[in-house]
Amino acid sequence: MRLRELAHSRTGDKGDTSNISVIAFDLADFALIAREVTAARVSEHFRGFVTGDVLRYELPQLGALNFVMRGALRGGVTRSLALDAHGKCLGSAILDLEIEDAAAGYECMK
Amino acid sequence: MRTVRIGAGAGFSGDRIEPAIELAEKGDLDFLVFECLAERTIALAQQARLRDPAAGFDPLLVARMRAVLPACRARGVRIVTNMGAANPIAAADAVRSVARELGLQGLRVAAISGDDILREVQAGDYRLDETDQPVSGLGSRLISANAYLGAAPIAEALSHGAEIVITGRAADPALFLGPLVHAFGWSMTDWTRLGRGTIVGHLLECAGQITGGYFADPGYKDVPDLARLGFPIGEVDEDGNVTVTKVSDTGGAVTPATVKEQLLYEIHDPARYLQPDVIADFSGVQIAETGPDSVRVTGGGGAARTGFLKVSVGYIDSYVGEGQISYAGPGAMERGRLAVEIVAERLKIMGVACHETRGELIGVDSILGARLSASSSTPREVRVRFVGRTDSLAEAERIGNEVESLYLNGPAGGGGAAKSTREIVGIVSTLVPETQVRPSIHIKEA
């Protein structure tokens, strides 16, 4: 299933850095999301788009992850030539990630 | 426990006006805050002030004040705003004129200046965080340098009886922290409460972004009545915990999900949110629904501030020229791609000096690029966008001209061409020791 089924997201910007939150609709899904949506996975998802590193912060009590992506905004909001200079749409793009739900798969097989 | 009610009446300079009137009239507020100063706004305001010494404050200041002052005065709601932009003193004069016009005699208006440290930064040895180059290297391209002031001068102005406090550049959360420090008498070294007050400010500063604005995703996250979105109220206790709510019978929604999205908005390390007054720590925050449109946010904390203030430095970076044209029907995408190729080649033939260009198809690949946008579907219409960076406005104009001339010289069926140019004011930043910045408070009466 897509991450969109499990989580919602908002993007913020500071200079050339973009941050994307990934927040579970249901706290019970947080462990699955935390396992599947790693910094490496997000970095690969935005390959070619984000030039710097991707860091991940966790707020388990809120069921939330925060991804900080350096070099994501074409030199920064104020001078970027991009149509979406703020990178506001990146949060929607992350929700496209495919999530492998091993537990659900097992239940289906039973 | 005693509580203070703070409303957020605007989250950016062009925000809707009537939600603030609802807050002033029905919010049972102590304070109403308007956050209207984006990163670049102050540099643009500084340019306006250079052209006219009486200008340089927010263009909607007078309209917003005219709308809310009668209700605020009648109900004792005090206002804090950064709409002073590059000229808080002229802004205070303008508000005083509005107050007189409305018959609000004796209204006390405070302007806070001192954030403008252009001279200090020009003369001192400061380096830009982004490039590690000296600020002075920007030479005549340098427009503005404004330090992010903290909550202390705002709290002090309120303690002098100001009914309206107008700042230039101040940290956005400080617009909310200042009233809390004043109302509860918090110490400026009480890191836990300053941290929590910063969280309150961070949650409220974007106004409608916590009451269901910027949230709706039909079928997944539905929000009622966004055309009548109510703006938020924070009911804050002496320990800095807050209940976020809004005026009843307004549109939007306050839920744990809207609050969580806003909590992480523009945050990097949640344990270290650097502010002029404190390093706020969001990592232990708890969020719980306490009723319809009522969410309780508790916990969080803070640590001693760094002693440095961030300075936003504005400079003239470059010029940008842009043109757009649409293609529709069968082969729209192919004709759009051909149009991009033609413009790129025309700019070379004509010798237009571009540092950087982008040619893309809006609706196909303009936002996320080719790889993330890859899909087999064929769009029924596309809009070509070609944009380039140049050293002069005249050079930038040539880019849009080449797009426009696709009408007669490009692929079949181009329509709706448009062109534009703009000067790019860039923003970079540096740090200054807080001792180099001396805010001052000017109080005027209507």
Side-chain angles (χ1 to χ4, degrees):
Chain A
M1 87 190 95
R2 283 189 309 166
L3 180 57
R4 185 183 189 203
E5 306 299 327
L6 300 177
H8 56 109
S9 175
R10 179 172 293 185
T11 315
D13 62 275
K14 285 238 194 300
D16 199 18
T17 301
S18 172
N19 84 290
I20 304 181
S21 60
V22 172
I23 304 165
F25 286 116
D26 183 344
L27 273 179
D29 292 325
F30 179 67
L32 172 65
I33 293 168
R35 191 185 75 217
E36 288 282 316
V37 190
T38 60
R41 183 101 191 270
V42 171
S43 185
E44 169 58 23
H45 188 60
F46 289 111
R47 177 166 48 86
F49 196 98
V50 174
T51 59
D53 53 2
V54 174
L55 296 174
R56 185 178 96 164
Y57 297 97
E58 296 163 24
L59 293 101
Q61 82 280 17
L62 304 181
L65 300 172
N66 189 37
F67 294 91
V68 177
M69 314 194 296
R70 298 208 183 95
L73 299 174
R74 304 289 168 273
V77 175
T78 54
R79 69 186 305 271
S80 167
L81 296 185
L83 185 57
D84 174 21
H86 294 84
K88 296 274 190 190
C89 299
L90 296 176
S92 304
I94 206 172
L95 297 179
D96 245 351
L97 279 175
E98 274 298 324
I99 298 297
E100 200 74 40
D101 188 350
Y106 178 69
E107 270 179 24
C108 287
M109 282 189 286
K110 281 197 295 187
Chain B
M1 194 184 262
R2 187 177 154 227
T3 57
V4 167
R5 284 169 68 92
I6 305 187
F12 83 107
S13 68
D15 216 339
R16 293 178 186 168
I17 289 185
E18 78 272 14
I21 303 175
E22 287 171 345
L23 281 173
E25 291 177 349
K26 300 175 197 162
D28 190 21
L29 298 182
D30 299 292
F31 298 96
L32 179 56
V33 176
F34 296 86
E35 195 290 288
C36 297
L37 205 49
E39 250 191 333
R40 179 155 52 185
T41 322
I42 204 155
L44 301 175
Q46 185 67 28
Q47 286 181 312
R49 188 182 177 174
L50 290 173
R51 290 189 293 269
D52 172 6
F57 56 85
D58 188 288
L60 282 178
L61 172 74
V62 166
R64 288 194 198 281
M65 291 302 112
R66 193 172 280 137
V68 300
L69 275 181
C72 286
R73 191 80 191 293
R75 289 168 175 77
V77 181
R78 298 162 86 182
I79 294 171
V80 179
T81 180
N82 55 10
M83 278 190 279
N87 202 348
I89 294 175
D93 285 333
V95 171
R96 197 160 57 152
S97 299
V98 174
R100 283 185 187 148
E101 189 189 300
L102 295 170
L104 306 175
Q105 257 65 41
L107 190 87
R108 284 169 79 85
V109 185
I112 294 173
S113 64
D115 60 303
D116 181 348
I117 57 163
L118 184 58
R119 281 189 194 155
E120 162 75 26
V121 162
Q122 274 171 324
D125 178 24
Y126 295 106
R127 286 182 176 268
L128 298 170
D129 292 340
E130 291 79 2
T131 59
D132 205 34
Q133 297 297 307
V135 176
S136 53
L138 291 170
S140 62
R141 294 195 294 152
L142 188 58
I143 301 168
S144 63
N146 296 79
Y148 282 79
L149 301 183
I154 296 168
E156 191 185 333
L158 292 168
S159 73
H160 293 315
E163 294 164 82
I164 300 176
V165 180
I166 302 174
T167 72
R169 180 53 80 197
D172 296 345
L175 301 174
F176 298 82
L177 183 58
L180 295 173
V181 166
H182 165 71
F184 292 124
W186 288 346
S187 154
M188 291 310 288
T189 57
D190 184 342
W191 309 122
T192 299
R193 286 186 174 82
L194 294 179
R196 289 177 179 175
T198 296
I199 292 167
V200 172
H202 175 74
L203 288 172
L204 298 177
E205 65 164 275
C206 295
Q209 270 197 192
I210 196 171
T211 51
Y214 210 63
F215 183 83
D217 191 357
Y220 288 80
K221 297 187 294 175
D222 290 300
V223 179
D225 213 3
L226 281 168
R228 292 181 186 80
L229 184 65
F231 282 4
I233 298 166
E235 189 170 64
V236 188
D237 69 28
E238 288 173 59
D239 292 329
N241 298 311
V242 61
T243 299
V244 181
T245 183
K246 66 185 183 71
V247 174
S248 54
D249 301 325
T250 56
V254 182
T255 68
T258 69
V259 173
K260 287 176 190 177
E261 278 199 19
Q262 188 56 22
L263 183 76
L264 288 171
Y265 179 66
E266 292 184 337
I267 293 296
H268 293 171
D269 180 352
R272 289 179 54 81
Y273 186 55
L274 303 183
Q275 288 292 297
D277 300 301
V278 63
I279 299 176
D281 179 359
F282 296 26
S283 61
V285 164
Q286 300 282 346
I287 293 174
E289 191 154 28
T290 43
D293 294 320
S294 174
V295 172
R296 182 90 174 136
V297 180
T298 54
R305 63 179 179 269
T306 62
F308 287 87
L309 297 180
K310 180 177 168 179
V311 179
S312 174
V313 176
Y315 70 100
I316 295 174
D317 179 89
S318 54
Y319 296 84
V320 164
E322 177 174 339
Q324 296 186 6
I325 188 165
S326 290
Y327 297 91
M333 199 160 75
E334 290 72 16
R335 280 176 288 136
R337 299 244 188 259
L338 176 59
V340 168
E341 282 168 29
I342 293 168
V343 175
E345 195 173 347
R346 282 296 299 165
L347 293 176
K348 271 187 208 150
I349 293 169
M350 299 302 289
V352 178
C354 292
H355 295 282
E356 182 188 356
T357 61
R358 280 171 74 109
E360 55 211 5
L361 301 183
I362 293 175
V364 178
D365 61 6
S366 66
I367 304 283
L368 297 173
R371 195 178 63 86
L372 276 167
S373 306
S375 131
S376 56
S377 65
T378 305
R380 295 294 293 167
E381 59 179 63
V382 300
R383 187 149 180 88
V384 170
R385 174 177 185 258
F386 201 100
V387 56
R389 187 188 314 285
T390 63
D391 283 328
S392 73
L393 204 58
E395 200 75 349
E397 279 170 4
R398 301 173 70 189
I399 297 168
N401 290 347
E402 287 300 339
V403 175
E404 187 181 39
S405 71
L406 290 170
Y407 264 141
L408 277 66
N409 305 289
K419 56 183 181 176
S420 63
T421 55
R422 56 189 187 272
E423 181 182 72
I424 295 295
V425 172
I427 296 290
V428 283
S429 59
T430 188
L431 293 173
V432 299
E434 61 183 18
T435 48
Q436 295 301 111
V437 178
R438 285 166 294 275
S440 47
I441 298 168
H442 318 257
I443 295 192
K444 305 175 177 221
E445 272 185 27

